[in-house]
Amino acid sequence: MGPEVRSDEDLLSARDGATFELFYRRYADRMLGYFVRRTHDAELAADLTAETFAAALTSRRRYRADVGNASAWLFGIASKKLIDAQRRGYAERRAQRRLGMERIVLTDDDVARIESLEDVEAATLI
């Protein structure tokens, strides 16, 4: 079965990194759009996207197709990450700056691409 026709559920149950990468590619732009639309911060959106997929990768064995579809499961993780980020606020970032911990700096092209995904994510909700 080719990667373009594999179900999300199949991609999550395969357990290998290459297959999870296919799942990631399928949802990465939608996830970025989801976060940028809610945070209005491209860098935070990129961070939350990375956190969401890291959590999905480590917890994919707990995914149960009989409970709900994979995209709902993934966006459930995303919602929790967003709530956590809102609770943390920007205190964490201030602490990182005080400690001299540098964030990965996105280029203007990176920011523009992520911000353009806000429209893509909005269109998929219609």
Side-chain angles (χ1 to χ4, degrees), residues 12-108:
L12 286 175
S13 65
R15 309 284 186 243
D16 64 283
T19 304
F20 187 81
E21 180 183 357
L22 295 173
F23 181 77
Y24 170 84
R25 289 179 185 272
R26 189 173 287 175
Y27 286 100
D29 285 351
R30 285 182 56 196
M31 188 62 55
L32 278 166
Y34 171 83
F35 283 126
V36 78
R37 185 162 189 208
R38 284 152 183 84
T39 65
H40 306 288
D41 181 334
E43 290 183 26
L44 180 57
D47 289 346
L48 291 171
T49 297
E51 289 178 25
T52 298
F53 279 105
L57 177 62
T58 59
S59 65
R60 66 184 168 167
R61 291 188 175 141
R62 292 190 307 246
Y63 167 71
R64 292 184 37 216
D66 59 319
V67 174
N69 68 39
S71 64
W73 173 78
L74 181 64
F75 280 90
I77 294 170
S79 294
K80 290 175 185 167
K81 293 295 178 185
L82 182 59
I83 290 167
D84 289 346
Q86 291 168 337
R87 285 184 187 145
R88 281 193 311 259
Y90 289 92
E92 183 178 292
R93 287 189 181 173
R94 287 192 304 271
Q96 287 174 338
R97 283 194 294 272
R98 280 195 310 272
L99 294 171
M101 298 170 69
E102 294 183 24
R103 292 187 71 198
I104 295 173
V105 178
L106 299 176
T107 66
D108 289 341

